[in-house]
Amino acid sequence: MSKGYLWRLPRADASTLKRLIADLLPETCWSFGGALLWDVRRDLADKRFNLRPINPVASSAIDISGDFGHAFADTIEVRWKRRDDGDYDVLVLTEQAGNPAQQQGLTQIATFPQVEAMAGRKALFLDTPAEIRAKKQHYRLDYNEYRAANGATQFVRYVRYESREEDEP
């Protein structure tokens, strides 16, 4: 087990958030997000389209539209939530000590004494729409658990996303 670190920037404008993501994450990562509060489109027949699915993306091209988002890779995750004034509240989770988040002006707000890598033992298997299930496609989201001194999980950091076709019999 390793230690985990939580960093925060309580106010970032859109350009600062995009720069942070591009600076902190590797060139290719995964991202998702969407609208749950301000930007919800009530005219959509299927409200699920207010959310962006998890997709691989270049860290320099992350879509930050909507009310919230996550961008993640094997070593780090950046989360953001849009504030009511239009700026963003940003959290960064990582197991890297001396993380570049400090160099980006973020403040370390917590250290977790235990981080357990769940990849290979547990994963979140995501509900798959019927049309994709018919194609025998599976989606797996690996994660690490950030635990307090008493062992309680306080954060789940997304690590890796995988979609694959089921092997034919």
Side-chain angles (χ1 to χ4, degrees):
M1 278 196 239
S2 60
K3 283 186 178 181
Y5 304 92
L6 178 63
W7 301 81
R8 182 174 183 221
L9 182 59
R11 172 172 263 132
D13 61 19
S15 62
T16 300
L17 173 58
K18 285 184 168 200
R19 182 183 49 78
L20 278 171
I21 293 167
D23 289 350
L24 293 173
L25 286 158
E27 186 175 318
T28 302
C29 59
W30 296 275
S31 182
F32 67 95
L36 293 172
L37 193 58
W38 294 289
D39 296 339
V40 172
R41 291 200 39 213
R42 299 190 193 306
D43 62 318
L44 294 173
D46 187 343
K47 303 297 186 273
R48 292 179 297 179
F49 289 111
N50 281 301
L51 303 175
R52 291 187 305 279
I54 302 171
N55 281 316
V57 66
S59 59
S60 59
I62 298 261
D63 182 357
I64 63 167
S65 65
D67 305 329
F68 77 98
H70 294 244
F72 61 95
D74 289 345
T75 59
I76 195 165
E77 178 181 353
V78 177
R79 300 177 180 189
W80 60 94
K81 181 179 174 197
R82 200 170 81 215
R83 300 160 40 105
D84 58 355
D85 65 4
D87 282 343
Y88 298 87
D89 192 343
V90 182
L91 292 178
V92 175
L93 291 105
T94 184
E95 293 84 60
Q96 299 173 341
N99 172 327
Q102 187 173 20
Q103 299 166 6
Q104 300 293 330
L106 281 79
T107 302
Q108 184 176 338
I109 60 172
T111 301
F112 297 89
Q114 306 171 48
V115 174
E116 191 162 353
M118 304 309 287
R121 295 182 307 160
K122 284 187 189 176
L124 303 171
F125 290 93
L126 306 176
D127 186 30
T128 309
E131 66 272 11
I132 295 175
R133 276 197 304 268
K135 296 178 188 174
K136 305 223 184 263
Q137 195 87 19
H138 293 280
Y139 297 87
R140 174 188 173 122
L141 185 59
D142 287 325
Y143 63 95
N144 290 349
E145 291 183 348
Y146 280 54
R147 297 184 179 168
N150 67 0
T153 300
Q154 295 196 319
F155 281 93
V156 169
R157 181 178 76 76
Y158 302 122
V159 174
R160 179 176 316 104
Y161 177 72
E162 173 183 289
S163 67
R164 62 180 167 82
E165 288 187 30
E166 190 175 86
D167 295 331
E168 294 293 322

